[in-house]
Amino acid sequence: MNQEINDSINAPSMTFKVECVDSDGNIKWTEEVHNTVMTAGKTDIVDKYLKGSSYTAAWYLGLKGAGSIAASDTLASHAGWSEVTPYSGNRPAITWGTTSSGSNTASAVSISINATETVAGAFCATVDTGTSGVLYNTSDFSASRSVASGDTLNVTPTISVS
């Protein structure tokens, strides 16, 4: 095997483009952030794709509060940060587009904010609620951001292998 090729292939990484729009349609802030792929996410890729164990194509977007990310974080255990939910219902589903050249951009996930909260990042998981699924990745914004009731967060995930 060509060691150079082997060393250059990483787990698919994700970018989140985030736009916060107020109730009057004004853009309050925008952010584009890259992720940390969790160890659980890398293991999930190997188990599902290479080993062929049961697979689900369901992915959900969560919002992260302030705190530190660790590669060992899981949905059940992420002591350095907490999930924030300034919206009603479960984590919204991600709808992926067409993959081309090793990249896929999802449709924007629109989250209607109904409470004041500080949001520090985003993450992808295999479940829409609870802690029993896989935490694939987590991203931090450059700084914590404030959202308020009436705002909408539009989050566009792109996943790429490079």
Side-chain angles (χ1 to χ4, degrees):
M1 175 185 291
N2 184 327
Q3 190 63 37
E4 266 185 48
I5 291 174
N6 187 44
D7 289 344
S8 68
I9 298 174
N10 296 313
S13 63
M14 200 170 297
T15 302
F16 294 117
K17 289 185 180 178
V18 184
E19 176 184 73
C20 183
V21 180
D22 69 17
S23 59
D24 295 323
N26 300 307
I27 296 174
K28 291 175 64 173
W29 53 267
T30 62
E31 181 93 27
E32 182 172 340
V33 294
H34 301 280
N35 74 342
T36 297
V37 178
M38 316 301 21
T39 301
K42 293 175 183 179
T43 299
D44 194 56
I45 289 171
V46 171
D47 281 350
K48 303 306 188 288
Y49 188 79
L50 298 175
K51 281 182 60 181
S53 62
S54 64
Y55 173 74
T56 179
W59 289 98
Y60 302 91
L61 182 79
L63 299 177
K64 176 191 169 295
S68 299
I69 298 168
S72 60
D73 287 346
T74 66
L75 271 180
S77 177
H78 45 83
W81 57 276
S82 61
E83 180 175 2
V84 294
T85 55
Y87 55 88
S88 295
N90 297 335
R91 296 176 194 120
I94 297 172
T95 303
W96 294 103
T98 301
T99 302
S100 176
S101 300
S103 184
N104 189 316
T105 300
S107 301
V109 177
S110 291
I111 302 171
S112 298
I113 304 298
N114 64 7
T116 298
E117 185 68 73
T118 299
V119 179
F123 64 88
C124 283
T126 59
V127 292
D128 65 348
T129 187
T131 61
S132 63
V134 174
L135 175 64
Y136 181 76
N137 71 328
T138 308
S139 297
D140 272 327
F141 297 156
S142 59
S144 294
R145 303 290 192 148
S146 179
V147 295
S149 186
D151 288 352
T152 300
L153 278 185
N154 297 311
V155 183
T156 305
T158 297
I159 193 161
S160 300
V161 179
S162 57

